[in-house]
Amino acid sequence: MARRYAVLDVFTNQPLAGNPLAVVLDGDGLSDQRMQAIAREFNLSETVFVLPADNPAHSARLRIFTPARELPFAGHPTIGTAILLAKERFGETDADQNAMVVLEETIGNIRCGVVLKNGAAGFAEFDVPRLARAAPPLADKEIVAAALGLEPSEVGFENHRPSSFEAGLPFAFVPVANLDALRRARPMLTHWDEAFGRHDHNDAYVYCRQTTANDSTFSARMFAPDMGIAEDPATGSAAAAFAGVVQHFDQLPDGTHFLRIEQGFDMGRPSLIDLEIDIANTALKAVRIGGQAVVMARGEIYA
């Protein structure tokens, strides 16, 4: 059976940048094993399978797979699929379009606002389905540094220290001193489990305050070797959890705060993730993830 698919570059307004995403538009009838095999075939950070929504008022139900396993939620698949489904709804028109897309993911229903502009990249923003909360603490700084091929003195800046937060998926967050340390970080698998735990989601999000782009707030890299992802060019689910890191260490005042995270620059896949945080009574009240995406390719698979 021929099944339509599209490949998008997400968290960018340019082709051949951002985080590539495969979306199989006709996913109904595929077994779990077949979906996993197709995701391995695409061999991208994530592949999405679009299924009929359980609630007819919603846009679609999504299954999200890395090359190694299924995820309950992920950021760049949510952004990319929302933009693609809006394009499918409106087609190629000369007029700008606004759409609300509701996606049923394993973690829950996610509302995405989409803006389509003629001749430009689409933009989508969604409310994160779960606010960030602290996860179990990490190993000592010396072990964390060894797992990233760095010196202990390069781990941490200001009052930021290694921490663990989750907003649907858990991540280890490792602050480093500067861009030089960030660029030299690399997974050292002999120390990885000791530093980040022996479980399915022992992913490390390494970040610093120094940035390449003037309008960015943080630079980041994300390593997930146990998920079949050596390095991810842009990680929206980590950005959702990163809101907890920022609030914990920076103690943002009440109000709305806009941050921009740059990722993937040293991979040749520059990505920009918009992170908007609402604070009330010194606590997280709401978090939104936003970004652009462009359609790179369309075709059919026979599986």
Side-chain angles (χ1 to χ4, degrees):
M1 173 182 174
R3 300 177 188 273
R4 296 176 301 141
Y5 77 89
V7 175
L8 297 93
D9 287 334
V10 184
F11 290 123
T12 179
N13 62 0
Q14 299 290 329
L16 305 176
N19 198 350
L21 171 72
V23 181
V24 178
L25 286 161
D26 306 310
D28 205 19
L30 289 169
S31 68
D32 295 359
Q33 294 78 10
R34 203 67 167 171
M35 290 182 186
Q36 186 65 75
I38 292 169
R40 283 197 300 269
E41 181 78 8
F42 278 115
N43 200 33
L44 300 176
S45 295
E46 281 100 9
T47 296
V48 173
F49 297 88
V50 178
L51 306 168
D54 292 332
N55 183 335
H58 296 165
S59 306
R61 181 165 64 92
L62 304 189
R63 302 279 300 276
I64 303 170
F65 287 79
T66 76
R69 61 177 60 90
E70 185 174 6
L71 300 178
F73 158 70
H76 100 280
T78 300
I79 293 285
T81 305
I83 290 171
L84 180 63
L85 293 181
K87 286 180 174 290
E88 291 284 303
R89 181 191 304 176
F90 292 112
E92 297 298 330
T93 67
D94 293 334
D96 295 347
Q97 300 285 352
N98 295 327
M100 178 60 67
V101 175
V102 181
L103 302 174
E104 298 173 356
E105 300 186 19
T106 302
I107 197 172
N109 300 329
I110 301 179
R111 290 166 47 87
C112 307
V114 179
V115 179
L116 301 179
K117 291 186 176 294
N118 184 40
F123 176 85
E125 182 180 69
F126 66 89
D127 299 311
V128 302
R130 184 181 299 170
L131 291 178
R133 59 187 181 186
L138 300 182
D140 292 341
K141 183 170 75 170
E142 289 74 15
I143 298 171
V144 170
L148 293 167
L150 298 174
E151 295 296 325
S153 61
E154 296 177 296
V155 173
F157 64 81
E158 301 163 8
N159 67 328
H160 284 242
R161 298 292 179 266
S163 61
S164 183
F165 281 79
E166 66 93 10
L169 293 175
F171 290 89
F173 291 93
V174 182
V176 294
N178 49 40
L179 276 175
D180 178 63
L182 184 68
R183 288 166 177 158
R184 287 187 289 104
R186 63 197 186 280
M188 306 297 287
L189 298 184
T190 53
H191 301 286
W192 198 261
D193 286 350
E194 184 181 8
F196 304 121
R198 294 174 175 84
H199 47 76
D200 284 347
H201 297 291
N202 57 356
D203 313 331
Y205 189 84
V206 188
Y207 68 96
C208 69
R209 190 94 70 183
Q210 188 179 7
T211 63
T212 300
N214 291 333
D215 59 349
S216 297
T217 316
F218 291 95
S219 297
R221 297 175 68 188
M222 200 285 282
F223 304 106
D226 285 355
M227 291 175 61
I229 304 170
E231 182 172 356
D232 197 31
T235 318
S237 54
F242 189 59
V245 176
V246 174
Q247 176 57 10
H248 177 75
F249 290 109
D250 289 351
Q251 292 293 295
L252 300 175
D254 286 2
T256 298
H257 304 267
F258 177 84
L259 294 79
R260 176 162 285 166
I261 303 167
E262 61 182 37
Q263 192 178 339
F265 278 52
D266 294 313
M267 300 176 66
R269 306 285 312 194
S271 308
L272 296 173
I273 302 173
D274 293 343
L275 174 61
E276 196 169 72
I277 303 173
D278 292 343
I279 303 294
N281 298 318
T282 71
L284 292 177
K285 180 182 179 183
V287 175
R288 292 169 292 280
I289 302 293
Q292 295 175 288
V294 294
V295 177
M296 266 294 298
R298 291 180 182 267
E300 294 180 336
I301 60 172
Y302 303 95

